Amino acid sequence: MSHLSYEESIKAVYRGLVLLGVVTLVEVFISLLAKGHIIKGAEHYTVVIYLAGLIIAGLSLYKAYFIVYDFMHMRYEVKGLALSVLLPTLLLVWAIIAFFQEGNSWKERRNQIRDKNTEEVDGKSQVGMSLREDVYVMPEWEG
Amino acid sequence: MATAETVLEHGVHEHDGTDSWSGGKEPFKASYGKLMMWYFLLSDAFTFAGFLIAYGALRFSSNTWPVPDFVFSTAPFGIHHAPLIFVTIMSFLLIISSVTMVRAVQEGHRENKNGVVFWMLLTVLGGLGFLSCQAWEWTNLISGEHMSVTVNPFGSHIQDGVYIDNEHGHPYKEGETPETFKAGSSYLIHKHLDEATGHQEWIQRKVKYSDGTMGVTEFGPAAFGALFFFITGFHGFHVLSGVVFLLIIAVNAGSGLYVARRNGYEMVEKIGLYWHFVDLVWVFVFLVFYLL
C-alpha cells in the first residue's frame, strides 16, 4: 500500500492535521476580514469581498484535494481508478457556471418585471394601444 | 467464533467461476468492495453538488442574502456576537475525527486489533460531538431565532438608512439616538408576546432610507431557511449513518472477525473512505453557508 514506514506515516497524519487546521483558521480569518470584523469598513469594498471569496474557494479546493489524495489514499491507487472517479466531477464545473449564470438571470428578469410594474404611465400621450419604444410589434399585428 | 461463511465477504469467493470478481485479476488493482465504495461516494458527491449548486443559483437570484457571520454568531453558554466561532469548532471536530480514522486504518494494516478499536471509538466520539453541536445550532435557530423551512427572519438592507423605532417596535423617546444601518448589513426580525391576543407576533421595525423613502424590515429570502435545514440536515444524516456504521465495524473488529479475514482490516478502510468523504462534503458546506 503505502511506501512510508509506520513511524513516517504516523508523522504524516499529524502533519495533515496541522495543515487542515491552519488552512481552516486562515479561511475563517479571511472571511471575517472581508466582512469587516477585523478592519472596520473593509466590507464596503466589493473588490475585497470578491478577492476574499476567490481565495477562500481556492483554499477549500486545496483542502478537498488533500483529503482525497492523502487521507483517502487516492495517491496510491492506480491511475485508472483515480481518473474514473475524478474526471466525472469535471462535469460539475460546467453545472456551476451554467446554474450561477441562470440564477443571476432570474434576478435580472424579476427586477425588470418589478420596475416595469411600478412605472408611471402618462395617460395623455399614451392613449389606447400605444406602446413603449423598446417594445417590438410583429408587422402583421400592426394597424 | 466466526464460521468460514461469515468470515468471507460476498465477492471474494476465489475461482469458483460464479462471481463477477473471479477473473483472477482485480480491475484497477482494487477489491470489489473498495471500488464500489469509491463509485458510491462519486454518486453521493453529485447529490451534494446538486444541492449546493441549487443553493448558489438561488443565492445569485436574490437581491439580498443574509450575511452568514451575522446569522451564525451565537455559541453555547450565552456567547453572542462571536461570528463563525462555534461553526469553526464544529469543523475542527470533523477534521480531528478524520485524523483518528486515518490512524485506525493504519493500525488495521499492521493487524493491530486493539489499535483499530481504540482509534475507531475516538472517531465515533468526534462524530457524536459534531452531531451534538449541530443539534444545538438547529435548536438555537429554530426556537431562539424563529427560523423555519418557510420563514427566514434574517433580512438585509439594500440602502443606508436609519431605524425610526426601537428594538421593541416603539417610537424613540426624546433624547434617544436612533440606530443607523448601512447597505448590505443584516438584521434579525424578533418576536414578542402580544398581550392582547396572547400570540407571539413579529416586530417589523420601521426604517427611513437615505433616499427619503420609508419602509419596514422585511423577511429575507425564504429559500435560505429551507436550503440551510435541508443541506446541513442531509450532511448531518450522513454523519449519523457514519457513526452507526463505525460502531458496527468497531464491534466486528473487536470480535476478531477481520483478524480471520486476513485482508488488513479492509472493512475499516472502506468505512474510512466514507468518513473522509463526510469531512470532504463539510469543507464545501462550510464554504458556501458560513464563509462566503
Side-chain angles (χ1 to χ4, degrees):
Chain A
M1 185 85 231
S2 153
H3 50 79
L4 299 174
S5 77
Y6 177 63
E7 283 74 22
E8 280 174 333
S9 53
I10 289 182
K11 247 190 226 161
V13 173
Y14 292 114
R15 263 205 309 275
L17 172 64
V18 173
L19 184 115
L20 287 179
V22 169
V23 172
T24 304
L25 284 181
V26 169
E27 280 182 334
V28 172
F29 178 81
I30 295 176
S31 175
L32 292 181
L33 185 77
K35 304 276 168 56
H37 288 283
I38 292 157
I39 302 171
K40 281 264 172 289
E43 75 271 26
H44 300 307
Y45 298 95
T46 343
V47 61
V48 172
I49 291 177
Y50 276 97
L51 198 65
L54 272 179
I55 297 173
I56 297 169
L59 287 174
S60 288
L61 281 177
Y62 176 70
K63 268 171 36 179
Y65 158 81
F66 184 84
I67 290 170
V68 171
Y69 268 74
D70 276 53
F71 283 3
M72 297 168 92
H73 286 166
M74 190 60 112
R75 197 184 293 289
Y76 307 111
E77 304 291 353
V78 297
K79 204 176 166 197
L81 197 165
L83 289 181
S84 72
V85 172
L86 298 178
L87 281 184
T89 60
L90 286 182
L91 283 171
L92 295 175
V93 176
W94 159 73
I96 287 169
I97 295 169
F99 280 98
F100 287 9
Q101 180 75 18
E102 183 73 11
N104 202 38
S105 166
W106 295 337
K107 175 170 75 184
E108 280 165 17
R109 294 298 145 262
R110 218 181 274 141
N111 288 346
Q112 193 183 21
I113 290 168
R114 187 198 57 198
D115 293 345
K116 294 263 177 196
N117 280 344
T118 53
E119 231 164 48
E120 298 277 331
V121 180
D122 181 355
K124 279 176 198 157
S125 61
Q126 296 183 349
V127 185
M129 287 291 287
S130 67
L131 295 163
R132 287 174 46 87
E133 278 170 21
D134 59 346
V135 177
Y136 177 76
V137 178
M138 305 260 286
E140 60 266 34
W141 291 357
E142 264 178 322
Chain B
M1 282 310 286
T3 62
E5 253 326 289
T6 59
V7 162
L8 282 174
E9 283 175 89
H10 174 74
V12 293
H13 295 274
E14 275 176 54
H15 304 299
D16 59 1
T18 58
D19 206 283
S20 53
W21 228 249
S22 60
K25 219 177 177 185
E26 290 178 324
F28 292 146
K29 294 185 189 152
S31 70
Y32 175 81
K34 224 166 103 178
L35 194 62
M36 292 307 132
M37 178 54 93
W38 268 114
Y39 290 149
F40 163 67
L41 294 182
L42 177 65
S43 72
D44 221 15
F46 270 76
T47 310
F48 270 109
F51 293 150
L52 292 179
I53 289 171
Y55 171 88
L58 286 166
R59 185 169 172 169
F60 267 87
S61 79
S62 303
N63 282 320
T64 64
W65 198 255
V67 183
D69 51 275
F70 177 82
V71 178
F72 308 105
S73 63
T74 318
F77 311 115
I79 299 172
H80 293 280
H81 311 297
L84 306 182
I85 301 307
F86 187 55
V87 78
T88 306
I89 295 171
M90 284 168 72
S91 299
F92 270 94
L93 276 175
L94 267 197
I95 292 172
I96 292 168
S97 78
S98 226
V99 166
T100 55
M101 190 69 234
V102 180
R103 292 288 298 117
V105 173
Q106 286 176 341
E107 294 301 327
H109 288 313
R110 302 176 75 213
E111 301 280 349
N112 174 4
K113 186 173 97 179
N114 291 340
V116 169
V117 175
F118 172 75
W119 288 108
M120 283 189 82
L121 289 180
L122 278 188
T123 311
V124 167
L125 274 185
L128 289 177
F130 179 85
L131 286 173
S132 320
C133 289
Q134 198 170 45
W136 186 88
E137 190 191 32
W138 275 40
T139 310
N140 178 54
L141 282 171
I142 295 169
S143 62
E145 290 162 352
H146 307 291
M147 182 160 111
S148 74
V149 175
T150 50
V151 180
N152 169 24
F154 293 98
S156 296
H157 294 290
I158 33 175
Q159 279 185 59
D160 295 358
V162 61
Y163 288 107
I164 52 180
D165 49 15
N166 67 17
E167 275 181 62
H168 308 285
H170 304 299
Y172 281 108
K173 293 192 190 80
E174 197 119 346
E176 281 179 314
T177 5
E179 214 185 321
T180 56
F181 53 80
K182 293 246 179 215
S185 58
S186 286
Y187 52 82
L188 171 63
I189 301 177
H190 294 280
K191 267 188 169 178
H192 81 129
L193 188 70
D194 190 326
E195 274 159 18
T197 60
H199 290 296
Q200 293 261 323
E201 304 283 350
W202 297 102
I203 313 174
Q204 280 165 291
R205 300 174 71 183
K206 294 189 186 73
V207 293
K208 186 177 183 183
Y209 289 112
S210 54
D211 66 357
T213 55
M214 307 287 279
V216 287
T217 51
E218 282 171 3
F219 289 100
F224 180 73
L227 287 164
F228 175 79
F229 287 121
F230 196 73
I231 296 177
T232 61
F234 196 60
H235 176 264
F237 185 67
H238 273 72
V239 178
L240 179 67
S241 358
V243 165
V244 171
F245 280 107
L246 279 168
L247 278 173
I248 293 171
I249 290 168
V251 168
N252 280 347
S255 76
L257 177 67
Y258 306 135
V259 176
R261 279 185 191 168
R262 268 175 269 129
N263 60 1
Y265 286 78
E266 196 189 275
M267 195 54 107
V268 177
E269 222 178 306
K270 281 184 274 189
I271 192 66
L273 284 179
Y274 176 80
W275 192 256
H276 296 313
F277 174 76
V278 169
D279 187 22
L280 180 76
V281 169
W282 182 253
V283 167
F284 291 105
V285 173
F286 186 57
L287 172 73
V288 302
F289 271 103
Y290 301 95
L291 292 176
L292 292 180

